[in-house]
Amino acid sequence: MSLNRQLAMFSAESARPSAYDLAGLLIGPGQVTRMGGTARVSVVVDAAWRVHALAAEFTARGLETSWEPAAIDGHFGVRTAYTGMLAPLAEAWLRGSGKRPPAGFALDGARLRLWFAAAGSVDPEGDGAVLRLGGNDENCAAPALRAFTALACMAELGRGPVLRIAGRRRVARLRELVGERPAMAPLGVWPGDQPVGEESGDEPSPAEQGEPRPVRTVRSPRMRPATVAPGQLDTGQVLPELAAPTSAETERVPDQTEAAAATGSELTGP
């Protein structure tokens, strides 16, 4: 099978969004917490455009989103609501109070897109990229490297800890997997973007040139969790799709102006 065909099979656009794609956040710096028969996923991000990107991804999966300034200046805590749809993820990933990838964890384009939206960056010259893991998630480093390499993308572990991807060709492969740059992300933050300062015949949009504008995301109705066979998550299998939200209720996510004014309170648990 050709590399291009293999990448197409695992790209972010190859399957409909699923709540189980949030495993991509958990292999990075995301956290999952349980409350009764429900769970939620949360992550601290370093830019307002990431809040917009994750809110859009959560909404596409029927998950409600909230955010607040984090204790670190310029950072935001983004989280889903507690829902039974995420309970299987918590069951698979939590060992006591700690987070550990399930046996056979695998990445695909959708999971990788969520990871990059939360904690990925590209070098200014466009010839390298980094995916950040959680600072105390030593149990995730080796499984993350194995899963990433299985997608025909070579990487190496670096301090942070991070996965570092070196070379334009490998960054281009990463772009094939994670898909198009999110609408509110500025130019230069996504794999495959033109290096900053390089001339182009296309004028960037206002969202690319300046600060992300506030957007509104749909608050989805509560949905019943999909039935999951006990062994499926352990294999890293992408599970059945969930319906897109239909409710008209909305919730706002931050823009850069709000980020600058935020005094910050750390994201807290239930």
Side-chain angles (χ1 to χ4, degrees), residues 52 58 72 132 203 206 217 225 244 253:
H52 288 276
F58 292 167
I72 305 173
R132 181 169 54 86
E203 289 295 325
T217 58
V253 297

Side-chain angles (χ1 to χ4, degrees), residues 217-230:
T217 58
V218 177
R219 182 190 295 273
S220 305
R222 200 174 286 276
M223 301 174 67
R224 294 179 65 84
T227 302
V228 181

Side-chain angles (χ1 to χ4, degrees), residues 31 37 49 53 71 83 113 121 128 137 145 163 168 176 187 199 206 208 213-214 250 256 258:
Q31 300 294 324
W49 73 262
T83 172
R113 180 179 178 85
S121 60
D137 291 342
L145 182 60
L163 287 189
R168 290 183 182 274
E176 291 289 335
L187 185 65
E199 293 185 1
E208 293 169 341
R213 301 182 303 275
T250 59
Q256 295 281 22
E258 293 171 326

Side-chain angles (χ1 to χ4, degrees), residues 18-268:
S18 163
Y20 303 105
D21 297 336
L22 272 67
L25 292 178
L26 300 184
I27 197 66
Q31 300 294 324
V32 61
T33 54
R34 282 188 284 208
M35 183 173 68
T38 68
R40 78 176 178 197
V41 172
S42 61
V43 64
V44 174
V45 300
D46 60 8
W49 73 262
R50 299 188 191 274
V51 181
H52 288 276
L54 291 176
E57 297 291 344
F58 292 167
T59 298
R61 290 160 174 82
L63 300 167
E64 297 178 11
T65 309
S66 62
W67 69 274
E68 63 185 7
I72 305 173
D73 188 36
H75 288 58
F76 301 92
V78 189
R79 60 192 178 192
T80 71
Y82 280 102
T83 172
M85 290 191 293
L86 296 176
L89 277 183
E91 180 68 23
W93 280 79
L94 290 179
R95 300 292 182 270
S97 60
K99 180 182 73 172
R100 184 185 295 271
F105 170 76
L107 282 168
D108 60 14
R111 294 176 178 186
L112 194 57
R113 180 179 178 85
L114 282 164
W115 185 6
F116 198 94
S121 60
V122 292
D123 296 342
E125 297 79 13
D127 57 358
V130 163
L131 284 160
R132 181 169 54 86
L133 290 90
N136 298 316
D137 291 342
E138 62 276 359
N139 293 323
C140 292
L145 182 60
R146 276 196 306 270
F148 191 82
T149 303
L151 287 178
C153 284
M154 298 300 296
E156 60 181 17
L157 284 172
R159 288 186 176 182
V162 300
L163 287 189
R164 179 166 293 279
I165 302 97
R168 290 183 182 274
R169 186 174 180 180
R170 291 174 182 171
V171 173
R173 292 179 184 177
L174 179 60
R175 172 59 177 262
E176 291 289 335
L177 289 165
V178 299
E180 295 296 319
R181 174 162 42 94
M184 298 305 295
L187 185 65
V189 301
W190 201 253
D193 280 355
Q194 189 176 31
V196 175
E198 187 172 311
E199 293 185 1
S200 169
D202 298 324
E203 289 295 325
S205 68
E208 293 169 341
Q209 289 179 326
E211 299 174 348
R213 301 182 303 275
V215 297
R216 303 184 75 83
T217 58
V218 177
R219 182 190 295 273
S220 305
R222 200 174 286 276
M223 301 174 67
R224 294 179 65 84
T227 302
V228 181
Q232 283 183 300
L233 281 175
D234 286 352
T235 65
Q237 179 180 352
V238 179
L239 299 176
E241 310 87 9
L242 299 173
T246 57
S247 174
E249 294 182 45
T250 59
E251 183 170 349
R252 199 162 63 85
V253 297
D255 62 12
Q256 295 281 22
T257 303
E258 293 171 326
T263 56
S265 62
E266 191 168 13
L267 183 63
T268 58

